[in-house]
Structure formats: C-alpha cells, structure tokens
Amino acid sequence: MSRIGSPKQAEEAAELTTTPTAGARPDEVRQHNRAVLLRRLHTGGPCTRAALAAEMGLNRSTIKALVDELVKDGLVVERVPAQRSGAGRPSLLVLPQPQAAVTLAVDIRVEQVAMALIGLGGEILNRCSWSLRPTSRNPREVFTKIVDNSAVLIEEAGVDVVAVGASAPGVVRRADGMVREAPNLHWTEVPLGDWLSRALDGRRVEVGNDAELSALAEHLRGAARGATDAVFVGADVGVGGGVISGGMPLRGSGGYVGELGHMVVRPDGHECYCGSRGCWETEVGERALSRALGLPEDSPRGVVVAELHALAQQPDEVLQRLGEFGEWLAVGLCNVVNLLCPQLVVLGDLFTALPRTLIDHVGKLVTERSLVSRAMGGTKLVTSSLGADGKLLGAAELAFEQVLASR
Amino acid sequence: MSRIGSPKQAEEAAELTTTPTAGARPDEVRQHNRAVLLRRLHTGGPCTRAALAAEMGLNRSTIKALVDELVKDGLVVERVPAQRSGAGRPSLLVLPQPQAAVTLAVDIRVEQVAMALIGLGGEILNRCSWSLRPTSRNPREVFTKIVDNSAVLIEEAGVDVVAVGASAPGVVRRADGMVREAPNLHWTEVPLGDWLSRALDGRRVEVGNDAELSALAEHLRGAARGATDAVFVGADVGVGGGVISGGMPLRGSGGYVGELGHMVVRPDGHECYCGSRGCWETEVGERALSRALGLPEDSPRGVVVAELHALAQQPDEVLQRLGEFGEWLAVGLCNVVNLLCPQLVVLGDLFTALPRTLIDHVGKLVTERSLVSRAMGGTKLVTSSLGADGKLLGAAELAFEQVLASR
C-alpha cells in the first residue's frame, strides 16, 4: 500500500494528467508522468516543450524537470527548432533518441519472415527478411533462423535489444506467447514465446496475432491515428482483423483476439480448414482474389498485384470483374460494422491494391445495408498507411509497452 | 486539481481497493470506497461485514465506519445472521435498503411495454405492463401511457424515484437517449430520453438498446455473473445481442452498441428491412422459428412456445424439425465467438424455450467449426436466468449507475 508524503511532494502529486495507482507516492507520480511523456514522444514524435506542457496539462517548469531527466538518461535529445514561430525565446524541440531503447520485431507470415530492430520513436534501425516455402515452414527451422538473424542484426547495428515482439498469423495465447493454431503455416501448439525468450538470454518476449498488431500499429502510427473505435482488416493468404475499441485493442476471454477472417459470409461457399464453410477468408482472401481475376489460385503475389493495378486503369471494367468479390467483401464489412460500430475500417495487406472504384462501391454497399452505419452517419473505409511494415511496427509496440512503463 | 492533506488522511487514502481520480483527497477516497461498497451490496446482495472487509481488502474498522455511515443515511440495514458460523461474536449481515433509492425501469418491446419500480439491491417493488398492437405503437401514444403509468406506480408504492432507465429495441444514441431507428416498432428519431426527462420533472433518464441491457443484467445478476467476457443473444420479434468485454459493456464509436441481429448469415436468405438480406434476425427470429415449426409466420408467442415445449418432449424429432434452424443459429454463434472470444454465450427471450437437444447440438457445431472456440477450450452455451425481467433489471442498472456514484 502506498503512503503520501510532504506538502511539496503533495503539490507535485496534485499535478497529474492521467491516473496512476491510487494513493500514489510523489515519486510514483513523477515516474508516471515521466512514462506518459516518454510514451507521447515515442508514438507522437518530436514536440516542443511548450506544446507538451499544454497537451499534458502540466506547467512548463514540471515539463522542463521531466525532460531534463530524460535527457540526462539519454532517452531524448533537445534541439532548437529549424523554423521559429513568433518572437521571443523559441521552445525547444524534444525528440526521442532511437538508440536509447531498441526492440527486436519479428513478423512471421505464411510466405515470409521479416525482422527489424526498431528504436524509441518507431524508427527502423536495421532489417532483414526471407521467403518461406512449404518446405521451410517447420517451426523449429523458422525459429532457428530468427535467432541467427537477430544476432546478425544486433551486431550490424551495434545496439542492445531491450525486449522482443513477434507477430504470428494465427490464434495466440498472449500470456506465454503460445501459438495455439496457425493453420496457414500448419503450426499447432508452438511455444514461440518460450523458445525466443530462452534463446535471447531471457529477454522479455511478447507474441501477438498479426492482424491485432496491424490494428495496433495503424492506431498508433497509421491510418487509424486518433480514432477511438476502428477495425483493421487485411488479406494475405488468410484474412485477419484487429479491433480498437474505446482507444484500446479489444481482446476476449483469456486474452485471445477475434478471428474476423473466419466469420462465415457465404454458407454455401468454399470449404475452410477451420471447420466452417464460406469463411470471409475463403471468399475474399488471396486465393479468392486470384479466382475473381481469372488467375490460377496459387498465382504469385506480384502477379495478382500487377493485375489489380492494370485493372485500376480501366475503371469501367472493375465491377464487371470484381463485383461478386466486392459483394463478399461488403457482406463481411457490414457484419463488422453492425457488430462493432467502428468510426473507420482500415483495409490492409493485399486489400490496399484493390482499385479505388471497388473500394468506393463496397463502401456504398455498407452504408446502404448497415443500419448501424446509417445511424452513425456512415463508416469511413480507408487503406492502410503503414503498408507492409504495419505488423513489424505493431510487434515492436508489444515490446515497447513493457519497456516504456519502466524507463 | 486535487491536493493531498494530513498524514492521518493520507493513511486513510492509502487504504484503497480500486482507483479513484489520481491525487484524490481523503474525503474523495472515503467517498470512493463508500460508492464501491454500496455498489457491491447493490449487485452482490447481503454480505457480512467480515466478508466485505476481506473482499474489498479494507480493515474491519474502516468497513465498520463506512457501513455505519450508510446505515445512518438509511441506505443499508444490519442484521444478526440467522445461521451463526463458529463461536465468538457473529459478524453482522449488511443488506441494501430497497426503498432508499428507487429507480423507474421501462422496457419497450415490439409487442408490449413493461414498467417497474426497482429498489436498491435490484428488488422489484411494483410493476405493470400492457400489450402493444400495430395500431398503438405510435411513439407519442406509448410515451404518454408510460408517463401516466409511472405516476400510478409511484403513488401505489409510496416511494420517490431518483432516476429512470429505459430499454428500446433499436439503435439508440446513448448521449441523449435518442432512439435513432427501432425498425420493428417503425420508430425513427424518437427523442425518448428528452421526452421522459421533461415529463418526469427533469429526473435523469438513460435510454439503452434492449439487448445491451439484457447483457448488462445477465452479467450483474444472471447467467453471466462473474464472467469477464460474455455475449447475450436473444430472439423476440427481432434478434439482438449485447457484449460484455473485459467486464464492461462493449460500445462502439459514439456510444452505439452493435446490432448482432443484422449480421448476415445467409446471403440468399430472407429480405430484411435493414437493407440487407439473410440477417440473423430473418433466419432465427420469431417469424423464422414459426416457419421452422410449420406454424404461420405471425403465430402468437404463446403458440410458438407451446409447440417448442411439446417438441422438447420428443427429443428424436427435434433435429428433424429444427435442424436447419439450428444451422443458422450455429453460423451466427460461430461468427460471434470467432469475433469476440466470449467465455460463454447467454441465450435469452424466445431462445430460452428451445429444446435442450437443439441447444446442445448447436453448441457442438460451434465447437467443431470455430477455431477460436477450440483454442479457448470450448464455449459455454447457457440460457438466461433472469427471463423476461432481464431488460427491466438492465434498464434499472443504467439509472443506478449514476445514482450510486453520488450516494
């Protein structure tokens, strides 16, 4: 239990912007404000001291003391802004120092693994990736290569890694990073979190579902920035979704996140490995898109994207060729909107290559058919602004969550 | 901004079980603990002082002081428990005093309106209801009758009403109680909250979606008690659902709640007024159930229920007659589980009359087809334990939320 100290400390304690543990000691209060400030700089980017004071509702001398401390600890640097506004002494610009806290992010997909060292503020400091083929998807093999490459990345960059975040395309138990089922990889019960933690000298490792991490990244740094309620939906080999509700990632019982891709949209549709038929994934995933375009189901990603870009040049043909595909996309999006009432839906991965004509058409169908969308004055449909790096940035955030709280 | 006071007050402040506003004054801390205690007694029912102390992590003298205060204010009473356990002085049983805070609850359905005075602790003190026919669903007419009946209820019971909660079967804007769209009632943009508040002497009025309020009630007092993640789904004329996520009702952007009944489960199914086709509501709502049973679509509720009870006596025939109906129920439930990962799903309203054989069959289908359910070790499918009173109790909770915080 906490105690409350001297009047001076009490005055500091009173100057609080958000809620730490109740009955917090002044040093806890300072620690809390420091963490809020660091997090703000990490996700919001460089900012003047004056703007930070206004934003956090703290007086300038308190901000100065906190920033001085962060500078002393090497977590941020201060610079005179290039462009001065108005007369008088310019407010110093505070910038996060990327090297001060570096996380290792791992993005395991069905067809490739990408890794990056990501510094405070979200800067990618070093990266690598390699393709996965059906013959090289064995969990042990993937894990070994991740460990080998992490050593190379770290040595090349000459930095230390404070924590690790990993993204996996499947159902993940967050508590221990157990990948329960990643069907497109044919993984079952892979203790990825444990393996990585042991191989990386006991560093803290967090593993999350890939679409959940995309949603997190788009919310913090991408197309859903500032939204309190947003849904990310992305198509890769599978289709996955992540939900931000009330400004926080939505998780269900036991920390599991939903599998939007396995919502049934077409009960007489294609059989799915999950045990259902006509899942969103079987009707709007990569194979479905290839079929809709008249390409072989197993066409390489590049061919599918090239075909979509060519089609986008002929807007009149878009609905003729992709109208039915758009129908299944709309059915799923209507369901998502009717169930979760998001302000906006971010389309990611392969969906970012869909012709704008199609996205607009689907958006119109959603508004016409969803009474929730109508009540809310429509639902914005946007494409991801982080592109392929979304899952890496999201995985890094899982790692940063722990790190920032204790810096 | 708050200030922190004397060491004695600080010691009181340190004894906190949950988080009030940071930097809270000791009187705010006491007020907070008092509200937590009152809320505990309101939702959890009678409890000994000793058990309250253990549960809230406060020492017995603090609990005694808080309870004494509540007794003095007439909010609770204390009694020697009927059954004494062990030797020594018995711990007094603390009971909420229903008359100390009475709310008016209104449950507007498509076919009837029910009203009740509900006291602290959830006891129904007085009630009335009347049927709605297509000719008597005019919003002004319904509103007038609600106001007239509230006067009668209040006079009969000889109590005062501190706040009002209402349930409506449609899309409700929580901020001002505007019923945006209640299609089965043919209501659009009905300012129910404003009307009620003005007619009831400016008393605070909260209006919520009916299924949201059922979920709230089942979570606080019914079949979902103790669950952190649960979904309520009920069939009436329409089908509605409410979600408890992380122990709290899930709301989307603007405070709107999802419309689970308008998730499309059968794209080639029946046309729905909402603009879609084959919504869950058109495939498993009351009309669909009547069709499945071979009854006319507009059969009275009593006939449908009687037929279901008769069918339940012949378990071998259940799947033969309701197998396809069960299929659509399972598709929707799979989607709900795959998207929201609840520990359990509570079936309410007309669904409580479904034969157990069918519910078990549907539960089995959900586990077979939902990879999320499998990862979570299965999903419990239970029936509502509050029955027809769920929406009234939920509406009362909306009213109590405000009241309890300030008592």
Side-chain angles (χ1 to χ4, degrees), chain A residues 169-223:
Chain A
V171 181
V172 177
R173 185 166 64 208
R174 281 293 304 279
D176 60 356
M178 170 72 84
V179 180
R180 302 294 310 274
E181 204 173 343
N184 286 317
L185 280 173
H186 303 287
W187 285 16
T188 310
E189 304 291 335
V190 175
L192 186 66
D194 269 5
W195 287 356
L196 285 174
S197 176
R198 257 182 261 160
L200 297 167
D201 303 326
R203 283 191 186 89
R204 195 178 176 106
V205 178
E206 298 277 339
V207 185
N209 167 275
D210 59 346
E212 174 195 21
L213 298 182
S214 293
L216 181 63
E218 294 290 343
H219 182 237
L220 291 177
R221 304 183 183 282

Side-chain angles (χ1 to χ4, degrees), chain A residues 1-5 7 9-24 57 171 180-181 183 228-229 243 245-246 250-254 256-268 273-277 279 328 331 334-343 368-372 374-377, chain B residues 1-5 7 9-24 57 171 180-181 183 228-229 243 245-246 250-254 256-268 273-277 279 328 331 334-343 368-372 374-377:
Chain A
M1 288 271 169
S2 331
R3 301 277 158 192
I4 291 162
Q9 287 172 316
E11 210 172 305
E12 279 178 312
E15 206 182 7
L16 252 176
T17 52
T18 54
T19 308
T21 314
V171 181
R180 302 294 310 274
E181 204 173 343
T228 55
D229 296 273
V243 180
S245 174
L250 182 69
R251 292 199 185 111
S253 182
Y256 288 105
V257 294
E259 287 280 344
L260 272 71
H262 294 280
M263 169 171 64
V264 173
V265 294
R266 188 184 185 182
D268 60 351
Y273 57 76
C274 77
S276 276
R277 183 181 275 282
C279 288
W328 302 122
V331 169
C334 268
N335 290 354
V336 165
V337 171
N338 279 346
L339 264 70
L340 299 164
C341 319
Q343 293 158 290
E368 277 169 21
R369 296 179 189 172
S370 161
L371 79 172
V372 171
R374 287 197 299 271
M376 292 169 55
Chain B
M1 289 271 172
S2 329
R3 301 278 160 193
I4 293 162
Q9 288 172 316
E11 211 171 304
E12 281 177 313
E15 205 183 8
L16 252 176
T17 52
T18 54
T19 308
T21 312
V171 181
R180 302 293 310 274
E181 204 173 344
T228 54
D229 296 273
V243 180
S245 174
L250 183 71
R251 292 198 186 112
S253 181
Y256 288 104
V257 294
E259 286 279 345
L260 270 72
H262 295 280
M263 170 172 62
V264 174
V265 293
R266 189 184 186 182
D268 60 350
Y273 57 75
C274 78
S276 277
R277 183 181 275 282
C279 288
W328 302 121
V331 169
C334 268
N335 290 354
V336 165
V337 171
N338 279 345
L339 263 69
L340 299 163
C341 321
Q343 295 158 291
E368 276 169 22
R369 296 180 189 171
S370 162
L371 78 172
V372 171
R374 287 197 301 270
M376 292 170 54

Side-chain angles (χ1 to χ4, degrees), chain A residues 82-95:
Chain A
Q83 292 197 325
R84 291 182 51 168
S85 61
R89 206 150 48 100
S91 183
L92 287 171
L93 200 60
V94 188
L95 303 90

Side-chain angles (χ1 to χ4, degrees), chain B residues 90-148:
Chain B
S91 182
L92 287 172
L93 199 61
V94 188
L95 303 90
Q97 180 70 285
Q99 278 80 5
V102 178
T103 59
L104 173 67
V106 183
D107 169 18
I108 303 171
R109 303 191 188 196
V110 179
E111 292 173 334
Q112 73 157 23
V113 178
M115 296 176 60
L117 298 179
I118 299 185
L120 192 66
E123 192 183 323
I124 295 184
L125 304 173
N126 198 8
R127 66 194 304 163
C128 69
S129 65
W130 65 95
S131 296
L132 288 185
R133 304 193 186 287
T135 53
S136 61
R137 283 188 195 130
N138 172 287
R140 269 282 168 195
E141 202 176 317
V142 170
F143 159 71
T144 305
K145 205 152 174 186
I146 289 171
V147 173
D148 291 349

Side-chain angles (χ1 to χ4, degrees), chain B residues 148-332:
Chain B
D148 291 349
N149 277 304
S150 69
V152 175
L153 284 177
I154 289 169
E155 207 197 312
E156 280 178 4
V159 294
D160 192 22
V161 160
V162 291
V164 182
S167 158
V171 181
V172 177
R173 184 167 65 209
R174 280 293 302 280
D176 60 355
M178 170 72 83
V179 180
R180 302 293 310 274
E181 204 173 344
N184 286 316
L185 279 172
H186 303 285
W187 285 16
T188 311
E189 304 290 334
V190 175
L192 186 67
D194 269 5
W195 286 356
L196 285 174
S197 176
R198 257 182 262 161
L200 298 167
D201 303 325
R203 285 190 185 89
R204 194 179 176 105
V205 178
E206 299 277 340
V207 185
N209 167 275
D210 58 347
E212 175 196 20
L213 298 182
S214 293
L216 181 63
E218 294 289 344
H219 181 236
L220 291 177
R221 304 182 182 282
R225 199 160 168 168
T228 54
D229 296 273
V231 174
F232 169 91
V233 184
D236 203 318
V237 175
V239 169
V243 180
I244 301 293
S245 174
M248 300 281 292
L250 183 71
R251 292 198 186 112
S253 181
Y256 288 104
V257 294
E259 286 279 345
L260 270 72
H262 295 280
M263 170 172 62
V264 174
V265 293
R266 189 184 186 182
D268 60 350
H270 295 72
E271 208 165 290
C272 183
Y273 57 75
C274 78
S276 277
R277 183 181 275 282
C279 288
W280 212 14
E281 174 162 322
T282 64
E283 309 307 315
V284 302
E286 186 170 21
R287 296 169 76 86
L289 188 51
S290 295
R291 285 196 305 270
L293 289 166
L295 299 169
E297 271 200 346
D298 55 355
S299 300
R301 176 83 33 96
V303 173
V304 178
V305 171
E307 187 71 18
L308 285 171
H309 287 163
L311 181 59
Q313 304 306 311
Q314 299 164 299
D316 296 347
E317 281 185 30
V318 168
L319 294 188
Q320 197 186 318
R321 288 181 68 190
L322 292 182
E324 202 196 328
F325 175 89
E327 184 63 31
W328 302 121
L329 189 54
V331 169

